[in-house]
Amino acid sequence: MSVGPVRRTSVAEKSIPQRLGLEFDPPTFGTTKSCGFHLQSKVGSLNCLYNGPTSPSEGLMISRRRFLEVGGVSAGAALALPCATATAASNADDSSLPPPLARLQSRKSEATPITREERGERQERARKLIGENSLDAIVLMEGTSLRYFTGMRWWGGERTFALVLPAKGAAFYVCPAFEEGRAQEQIGNGPDAAQADVRTWQENDNPYRLIAQGLKDRGIASGKLGIEETVRFVFSDGIAKAAPQATFVSATPVTAGCRMIKSAHEMALMRLASQVTLAVYEAAYQSMHDGMTQHDVSGLIDQGYNRMGFPGEASVMVGEYSAFPHGSTTPQVIREGSIVMIDDGCTVEGYESDITRTFVLGKASDKMKQVFDIVHRAQAAALAAARPGAECGSVDAAARTIITEAGYGPDYKYFTHRLGHGMGMDMHEWPYLVRGNAAKLQTNMTTSNEPGIYIRGEFGIRLEDDMHITENGAELFTPQSPSLEKPFGKG
C-alpha cells in the first residue's frame, strides 16, 4: 500500500528538485478524488496531493515517506534532509553498516531494460485497441503512458508536448521548438525513431492548431479522439477548441487495456523488485533494536536499497501508529513488544514493488497473534479467489468476509481500505480490487493483495504482497509472512 504512486528514478535521471528529495507524482489510473496537505516555508509552498490523478507538470510532490520523515520539520529543512540521507547511504562502507545490510549484494545486473522493439509492439497493440474501441487516435502527454509506449521521460510544465497515435497512419509529435533537440534525442530511442513526424511551435504560437492540422493530415479531423486520463484540462480543452469537429472521449480502454496486461519481461522486473524489497526488509529487521525511531529504520532501508542497486524507500509505523494505514508524522520509538509496520518498495527498470510487513521485536501479545492470523487467512483467501474471469470486487469480498466473520466488521470498520490496486510502472494503476468493481481479472494482470485490521489506539496489522494472475489462478511474487515473531520464516 502507498498513499499514491511514487516513481523512483536513479540519481542520474533526477532533476535538481528531485535530487533534493522532491518527487513528481506520476499518473494514477482510475483515481477519482484528490485531497491533500500543504507545507509552507520561507522557500515557498508545496501542495502535496493524496492518491490523486496528477502528472509531473502539476507541481513538485513530496513522497509519503519523505513527508512522514520530516514531520514537524520546516519545509526548508525537509529539502536538505533527503540529500543528506542519500549521501550518507552512498558513502557508507561495509564496516559502517550492520552486518545484515553489509551482506546484501547488488542485483542490478539482473534487470534488463525494456527494448525499442517491445515498445513498438505496445504501439501496435494500442492501435488494435483503438480500432476495437471505435476510436481514430489517442493523445498522450507527459507521464507514465507516454513513457510506456515510447520510452520518453518528458517534463514540459505548462508547454504542450503531445504524441498523437492514430489507428492508421504514422504517429506525430507536437513539441516546443526550443525543445526539439531534447525531443529528438528521446524519440531516437523509441519505435518510430527513423521516421518521426515532429511538429514544432514557437513560444507565441498556438500548439493546439498544430495538433488539429495533424488530425486533418491524417484524415481524422472529425474523428473520435481518446485523451489519456492524466492529461490536464488546460491541454484537452485547448485541443478541443482547435479541433471543434472532433469528438473527445477517454483513452483509458486503450492505455489501461495495454498496461494492465503484463509481458513476461515486465513480470520478471516486478518479481525482481519484490524480491529486492523483501531482502532489504529482512536485513533491516535483523538490524533493528530497542530504542530506534521510525526514521532510523527507514534509514536502514535506504542503505539496503543502495546496496542492492535500486532506488526505493519505506514508511515505518510503530505501535499505535500502525493503526494509521498510511502512517503518522508523530515521532515514534520502537520498544520490545511493539508492533512495527514497514511499507512501500523499489523500482526496477521503471517497474514497482509494493510490499508491507508487520512484525514485533520480541514477544507478541495473544491479541496481536490472533489478529495476525486473521489477516493472514484473509490474504490467503484473496489469493485463492483471484483467477481469470473473477470479478475484481469478488476478490476483495473473499478477504473481507474472513475478517468480518472473525469479529472485525462490518464493512470498513477495521479493514478500512480496498484489498488492492493494480501495479506496474505506477505503484497504483488499473485494475482495482474493490467492492463494486465488476471488471474481470485477466491472465497476466498484477495487483497488490493487502488486507489489514486497524484498531485505533492499539495497533494495526497489514500483510501485502504483489500478486500475478496466472492462467489458472494467482501467485504471489514473494512468500506470505508466516508470523509476527518470525516475519521472514527464519529463526
Side-chain angles (χ1 to χ4, degrees), residues 150-409:
T150 69
M152 297 187 70
R153 297 176 180 272
W154 193 263
W155 181 82
E158 73 283 3
R159 293 181 174 95
T160 298
F161 179 91
L163 164 63
V164 179
L165 181 66
K168 299 177 181 179
F172 66 90
Y173 296 83
V174 171
C175 171
F178 79 96
E179 294 275 36
E180 184 177 8
R182 180 164 74 103
Q184 291 283 10
E185 183 179 69
Q186 294 199 47
I187 291 170
N189 296 319
D192 53 357
Q195 68 283 348
D197 180 356
V198 181
R199 305 176 181 215
T200 61
W201 56 278
Q202 299 294 345
E203 293 280 62
N204 62 317
D205 291 339
N206 182 339
Y208 308 117
R209 291 177 181 171
L210 289 181
I211 296 175
Q213 183 60 48
L215 298 176
K216 184 177 180 181
D217 294 343
R218 299 296 187 268
I220 53 175
S222 59
K224 184 181 291 186
L225 270 65
I227 303 294
E228 202 270 347
E229 64 186 297
T230 64
V231 171
R232 291 192 294 170
F233 176 78
V234 65
F235 296 134
S236 60
D237 185 54
I239 298 170
K241 288 176 179 176
Q245 294 180 324
T247 302
F248 296 88
V249 297
S250 173
T252 298
V254 177
T255 54
C258 289
R259 290 177 54 187
M260 282 191 300
I261 309 300
K262 305 300 190 293
S263 69
H265 188 177
E266 290 177 293
M267 286 187 291
L269 294 173
M270 295 182 68
R271 190 183 301 274
L272 177 57
S274 292
Q275 291 171 352
V276 167
T277 293
L278 199 64
V280 170
Y281 283 7
E282 181 174 6
Y285 165 73
Q286 293 171 346
S287 304
M288 290 168 55
H289 57 76
D290 188 283
M292 278 187 164
T293 68
Q294 79 265 44
H295 307 316
D296 294 332
V297 176
S298 62
L300 292 175
I301 292 171
D302 286 345
Q303 292 175 317
Y305 282 128
N306 185 66
R307 291 283 300 167
M308 298 201 75
F310 300 104
E313 60 185 7
S315 56
V316 180
M317 291 75 83
V318 180
E320 65 180 292
Y321 299 104
S322 60
F324 291 46
H326 284 152
S328 167
T329 60
T330 303
Q332 300 158 46
V333 179
I334 297 170
R335 299 297 183 196
E336 190 80 9
S338 296
I339 285 278
V340 180
M341 182 186 291
I342 302 177
D343 179 27
D344 275 324
C346 70
T347 303
V348 172
E349 288 296 336
Y351 285 82
E352 305 281 347
S353 61
D354 189 8
I355 293 176
T356 303
R357 285 295 179 264
T358 308
F359 50 82
V360 171
L361 283 191
K363 296 294 183 182
S365 69
D366 289 343
K367 184 174 183 179
M368 291 174 180
K369 292 178 181 178
Q370 178 192 48
V371 171
F372 181 95
D373 177 68
I374 296 167
V375 174
H376 190 278
R377 288 191 289 113
Q379 189 187 42
L383 179 64
R387 63 187 61 251
E391 292 188 0
C392 289
S394 71
V395 186
D396 178 282
R400 201 168 300 277
T401 296
I402 296 293
I403 289 173
T404 299
E405 290 181 352
Y408 287 93

Side-chain angles (χ1 to χ4, degrees), residues 257-267 270-271 387-388 423-424 429-431 441-447 467-475 477:
C258 289
R259 290 177 54 187
M260 282 191 300
I261 309 300
K262 305 300 190 293
S263 69
H265 188 177
E266 290 177 293
M267 286 187 291
M270 295 182 68
R271 190 183 301 274
R387 63 187 61 251
M423 295 183 60
E429 58 181 52
W430 296 92
L441 291 173
Q442 299 177 52
T443 302
N444 294 333
M445 284 182 169
T446 50
T447 74
M467 184 167 67
H468 161 223
I469 306 302
T470 65
E471 291 184 0
N472 301 311
E475 64 166 348
F477 286 146

Side-chain angles (χ1 to χ4, degrees), residues 410-429:
D411 298 325
Y412 294 94
K413 184 175 182 179
Y414 292 100
F415 180 11
T416 56
H417 52 75
R418 66 192 172 206
L419 174 72
H421 52 83
M423 295 183 60
M425 293 179 72
D426 283 331
M427 191 179 283
H428 287 203
E429 58 181 52

Side-chain angles (χ1 to χ4, degrees), residues 32-33 45 49 56 68 86 101 136 170 176 203 211 244 268 274 308 329 380 401 418 440 464:
T32 58
K33 187 175 181 181
S45 62
L49 298 181
L68 297 177
L101 289 172
D136 294 291
E203 293 280 62
I211 296 175
S274 292
M308 298 201 75
T329 60
T401 296
R418 66 192 172 206
K440 301 291 181 65
E464 177 182 17

